[in-house]
Amino acid sequence: MLQINNLVVQIEDKRILNGLNLTVNKGEVAAIMGPNGSGKSTLSYVIAGREDYEVLDGEILLDGQNLLEMEPDQRAAAGVFLAFQYPLEIPGVATMTFLKASLNAQRKARGEAELSTPDFIKRVNAAAAKLEIQKDMLKRALNVGFSGGEKKRMEILQMALLEPTFCILDETDSGLDIDALRIVSEGVNTLREAGRGFLVITHYQRLLNYIVPDTVHVMASGRIVKSGGKELALELEANGYADYRQSDAA
Amino acid sequence: MPAVQETIEQVRSIDVDQYKYGFVTDVEMEKPAKGLTEDTVRYISAKKGEPEWMLEWRLDAYRRWLTMKEPDWARVSYDRVDYNDIYYYAAPKMNAAPKTLDEVDPEILRTYEKLGIPLREQEILAGVQTSRVAVDAVFDSVSVATTFKAELAKAGVIFMPISEALREHPELVRKYLGTVVPVTDNFFATLNSAVFSDGSFVYIPPGVRCPMELSTYFRINEKNTGQFERTLIIADKGSYVSYLEGCTAPQRDENQLHAAVVELVALDDAEIKYSTVQNWYPGDAEGRGGIYNFVTKRGDCRGRNSVITWTQVETGSAITWKYPSCILRGEGSRGEFYSIAISNGMQQVDSGTKMIHLGKNTTSRIISKGISAGRSQNTYRGLVSAHRKASGARNFTNCDSLLIGDRCGAHTVPYIESKNASAVFEHEATTSKISEDQLFYCQQRGLSAEEATALIVNGFVKDVLQKLPMEFAVEAQKLIAISLEGSVG
């Protein structure tokens, strides 16, 4: 479903991605691991359409549509969801209001009818209960004063509500204690289904104990340098990224 | 993606240029010669059939005005007004005082229909609107219709054009006019005192809670015409009134002057809520045309435990120069100022408030939200002062500014003067920018850049929007979205 061919990206004249190739199939959970500065977060931003990055070459196809020609909100409506490493605070905007505005904007873009308020509330409450999110949190301004764990759970709540076809999790495990990690992972696992692809970006193998990937890719210097099954993650955990760093230098 | 392309085109074409209320009504007007002389003042006074003392009051103001200089301390720049090149009075040719709506020029009625201002009581009563609002409609220099007068009279409430009040209740007008904003207060107020043509007069008798919202709707239609309205609201002991004013004007290439004076008087235990949704024509994208909004608004908390609240949503005008203020004279009285000032295009706003604590245990609260976009400049200017006798005075001020884009400016100029050691004044101020990160985050969830901006801005102004009467809060929210269209991307 997601196909990235020879992607070359720079930011302020600094080359970050160097001819990256990656394919994620429908129903597949692909993990990307790699050392700091290898370009993992850049990859997630470029797929979602963040402005500051200059794409010099290559293409990103989602079900055959060229994402690079679309605005971020069009990509979202086409099914791309990015769970942010650092979710943003939107002061004064109640979480409920934000969720409703996003969901209806996407539905409108896809030519679907807006959801009625009772239907909407039902869906939010169901998703919130699974993620152990208290109702009064939904009335508070989005992410304002939320703890790190609450922010990450809110990202997964949005993911569940918006029903994207392709989900990117950018370092979702960072800043989570073991209980929050379990809740978030369960939230993600319930969304795994045949039609949906996942790209899970992480430093540590720990997250992959909870969200078990189908494939693991190692990223270094803006390229995928090794791909394998879930055992590759364990290997990296044992040996570190040293080998790949050396191969950079070479 | 043709649909989206269309949206982008649409958004591009929208700027401050797309002003929804910019149409002109074609109606025969009567006007004196351009320019200002004693004769102009006499002409206006005679047109209104005013008592002799009123004419003397005006002439006195006119003579003083001749000796005054236009103020230049505000952070705005503009071509000075040529006071001899404008009309000071313009009235639709019709019966001097229409008794019913049938006597009002249908063109004018259509104007208010287009603006969405209900003037036909029966239609309002038929339940088109859930809540009832009494309206005084001022067209250029005269009031053309006032609704629900009879029903209000039953409660003892006087709500009528000030020109009519001068004839019907001269003693009340004389007792209060100019007691809050003295004739010589400032250049524009003095000019207004000489030439004011119409506006609303409200008197709420002791112990009466006004049974409905009152509102005045100002429309400048005529070319080269200044609008000088005068509003006087008196809330007698223990009474309550909520009042709203709205304003629009046609789109014209030249600037037009609007120099109003509003005076509020609250006696013991009385409360006045005064809300403004100001949407004068702001000029085009290059800064041509638009209204000069030079307005003096002041409330006097004259009685013990009286309360005056100013709430304003300012989105229009080329230049805004306006400081709705409270004189906290009565012991235990309270003044509040809640403001949202939005500037886009080439607009310049210099606005704020003055809270003058004279009495013991007086309190005041200022919440100001300034939003600048385009190439606009937005200044908050506020004074909080405590008189020697104002023991226990308290003020809390919060000024937040939000910048959209990198070509606009936000400025905060607070003045604090305390002559009483027991006064406690707090001031908080922040300036922030809608970050690229916030916009991207919202867009990633499916909102367009414009929708995301409107959402973030609405969050920013929420505290103040909540202070507006319900039915106007919705209108204000829409207005904010329109004002900011085309400000991103």
Side-chain angles (χ1 to χ4, degrees), chain A residues 26-206:
Chain A
K26 275 197 164 67
E28 178 181 331
V29 174
I32 292 203
M33 301 182 73
N36 281 331
S38 57
K40 301 189 302 292
S41 284
T42 296
L43 176 62
S44 66
Y45 281 143
V46 173
I47 297 172
R50 172 97 216 218
E51 245 183 19
D52 311 335
Y53 299 91
E54 197 182 341
V55 177
L56 300 176
D57 200 6
E59 55 181 4
I60 306 177
L61 303 172
L62 181 71
D63 296 324
Q65 296 182 76
N66 189 353
L67 290 183
L68 294 176
E69 287 174 356
M70 297 158 77
E71 292 293 314
D73 48 311
Q74 296 172 279
R75 300 185 198 199
V80 174
F81 184 93
L82 168 63
F84 282 61
Q85 181 177 4
Y86 303 108
L88 276 294
E89 299 182 358
I90 315 285
V93 177
T95 301
M96 266 307 207
T97 308
F98 181 83
L99 295 177
K100 195 169 181 210
S102 319
L103 182 61
N104 281 332
Q106 289 201 18
R107 293 178 72 96
K108 211 171 124 194
R110 289 193 294 258
E112 299 164 12
E114 291 195 359
L115 217 54
S116 75
T117 304
D119 281 348
F120 167 75
I121 291 172
K122 232 179 274 170
R123 284 202 201 184
V124 175
N125 285 346
K130 274 190 201 156
L131 290 159
E132 298 178 35
I133 290 172
Q134 303 297 320
K135 276 190 191 164
D136 73 285
M137 216 168 111
L138 298 169
K139 291 180 193 151
R140 284 160 56 190
L142 182 67
N143 292 328
V144 178
F146 288 17
S147 71
E150 285 173 330
K151 283 182 184 173
K152 294 295 171 74
R153 272 189 278 162
M154 193 52 76
E155 292 292 286
I156 306 305
L157 173 71
Q158 294 180 48
M159 187 190 282
L161 195 68
L162 296 170
E163 300 180 320
T165 52
F166 191 78
C167 310
I168 308 160
L169 285 85
D170 188 7
E171 311 258 0
T172 294
D173 50 333
S174 68
L176 289 190
D177 62 28
I178 204 77
D179 291 327
L181 185 61
R182 180 186 52 78
I183 295 167
V184 164
S185 304
E186 277 171 14
V188 173
N189 286 331
T190 56
L191 294 172
R192 288 177 79 153
E193 58 180 56
R196 187 172 285 145
F198 286 85
L199 191 62
V200 179
I201 293 171
T202 183
H203 271 295
Y204 303 107
Q205 197 268 336
R206 184 180 74 155

Side-chain angles (χ1 to χ4, degrees), chain B residues 40-61:
Chain B
T40 324
V41 177
R42 287 178 195 280
Y43 175 94
I44 294 168
S45 188
K47 273 281 158 203
K48 303 282 176 191
E50 287 175 352
E52 186 60 27
W53 64 265
M54 192 63 231
L55 174 63
E56 285 309 316
W57 199 83
R58 286 177 181 275
L59 287 171
D60 179 44

Side-chain angles (χ1 to χ4, degrees), chain B residues 84-386:
Chain B
N84 280 318
D85 195 37
I86 48 181
Y87 293 105
Y88 285 83
Y89 182 86
K93 272 191 183 160
M94 59 178 186
N95 292 343
K99 294 269 183 313
T100 69
L101 281 185
D102 299 334
E103 291 175 34
V104 177
D105 189 325
E107 272 302 317
I108 293 174
L109 292 181
R110 264 195 291 281
T111 301
Y112 285 94
E113 235 165 69
K114 262 171 140 170
L115 295 169
I117 311 301
L119 292 183
R120 293 187 184 275
E121 291 179 25
Q122 57 274 40
E123 284 168 17
I124 305 165
L125 291 170
V128 186
Q129 290 201 317
T130 44
S131 62
R132 290 178 304 149
V133 178
V135 179
D136 182 20
V138 176
F139 192 84
D140 288 324
S141 303
V142 292
S143 168
V144 291
T146 309
T147 62
F148 292 109
K149 263 163 94 174
E151 190 169 335
L152 287 167
K154 257 185 255 165
V157 172
I158 303 172
F159 178 45
M160 57 173 60
I162 197 159
S163 53
E164 204 174 313
L166 271 163
R167 293 190 296 268
E168 292 184 23
H169 304 281
E171 68 301 331
L172 264 181
V173 179
R174 194 172 189 178
K175 185 171 172 192
Y176 291 102
L177 189 71
T179 63
V180 186
V181 178
V183 169
T184 51
D185 190 77
N186 69 72
F187 182 83
F188 298 113
T190 306
L191 175 63
N192 174 289
S193 300
V195 300
F196 77 83
S197 41
D198 227 333
S200 300
F201 176 79
V202 177
Y203 173 77
I204 316 288
V208 170
R209 199 180 160 85
C210 186
M212 60 181 87
E213 298 270 346
L214 304 183
S215 77
T216 302
Y217 198 89
F218 296 101
R219 173 79 178 168
I220 299 179
N221 184 63
E222 197 60 11
K223 208 175 169 177
N224 293 325
T225 299
Q227 192 174 52
F228 305 94
E229 89 262 3
R230 184 114 192 168
T231 297
L232 176 58
I233 299 176
I234 302 134
D236 214 322
K237 291 177 182 172
S239 68
Y240 168 86
V241 63
S242 169
Y243 178 94
L244 183 121
E245 69 169 6
C247 358
T248 59
Q251 215 160 318
R252 295 191 185 281
D253 284 344
E254 70 277 8
N255 298 105
Q256 281 182 287
L257 177 63
H258 174 252
V261 172
V262 174
E263 297 179 277
L264 312 181
V265 180
L267 302 181
D268 290 358
D269 303 303
E271 179 171 359
I272 302 175
K273 270 190 80 161
Y274 191 104
S275 313
T276 305
V277 176
Q278 187 265 107
N279 189 20
W280 294 119
Y281 176 55
D284 68 11
E286 300 307 313
R288 271 186 305 263
I291 302 289
Y292 289 167
N293 194 31
F294 300 151
V295 168
T296 306
K297 292 182 166 176
R298 197 172 301 151
D300 187 355
C301 285
R302 209 166 279 182
R304 292 167 68 95
N305 302 321
S306 55
V307 180
I308 289 179
T309 302
W310 298 100
T311 306
Q312 58 172 21
V313 178
E314 302 277 318
T315 62
S317 297
I319 299 174
T320 302
W321 180 97
K322 164 177 180 191
Y323 315 89
S325 304
C326 295
I327 301 167
L328 302 164
R329 199 185 304 272
E331 193 176 324
S333 61
R334 189 168 88 233
E336 294 175 350
F337 174 77
Y338 301 101
S339 170
I340 299 170
I342 299 181
S343 54
N344 197 353
M346 297 289 285
Q347 283 176 277
Q348 304 176 61
V349 178
D350 194 303
S351 183
T353 184
K354 290 187 273 185
M355 292 293 174
I356 301 170
H357 292 258
L358 301 179
K360 280 190 185 120
N361 299 319
T362 47
T363 53
S364 62
R365 187 177 163 84
I366 299 169
I367 310 281
S368 164
K369 306 276 181 178
I371 298 156
S372 339
R375 283 179 286 167
S376 66
Q377 295 294 330
N378 203 325
T379 302
Y380 168 83
R381 188 183 301 277
L383 165 72
V384 179
S385 73

